[in-house]
């Protein structure tokens, strides 16, 4: 029913299983008071995505991105 952002960090390098890809902290302009973050499942046997709710501060949502896509939407 509202906007959804799909975000990830890609530094242009290839990382194999077991290697930890780099991450970056970002600040996303965000009008809602809080956001629902849904992380794409990447583990074998994982049937549900990891979710968390983050609070926005002064119209800004701070989060850390890595190579796994996350879906960001206003929290219900």
């Amino acid at each position: 029913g509202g906007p959804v952002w799909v975000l990830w960090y890609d530094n242009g390098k290839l990382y194999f299983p077991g290697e930890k890809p780099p991450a970056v902290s970002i600040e996303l302009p965000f009008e809602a008071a809080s956001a629902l973050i849904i992380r794409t499942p990447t583990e074998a046997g994982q049937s549900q995505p990891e979710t968390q709710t983050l609070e926005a501060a002064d119209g800004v949502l701070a989060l850390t991105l890595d190579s796994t896509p996350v879906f960001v939407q206003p929290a219900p």
Side-chain angles (χ1 to χ4, degrees):
V4 175
W5 295 268
V6 182
L7 307 169
W8 66 94
Y9 176 63
D10 182 357
N11 69 349
K13 296 181 181 179
L14 176 64
Y15 295 89
F16 292 102
E19 293 181 326
K20 184 164 178 73
V24 63
S25 295
I26 67 161
E27 292 184 341
L28 179 68
F30 204 75
E31 293 180 11
S34 59
L36 178 62
I37 311 297
I38 304 167
R39 190 168 177 83
T40 303
T42 58
E43 300 294 324
Q46 186 179 5
S47 62
Q48 297 294 319
E50 295 177 28
T51 63
Q52 74 179 109
T53 302
L54 292 178
E55 300 297 318
D58 298 321
V60 175
L61 183 67
L63 62 149
T64 301
L65 301 175
D66 60 20
S67 61
T68 302
V70 293
F71 297 81
V72 179
Q73 64 189 54

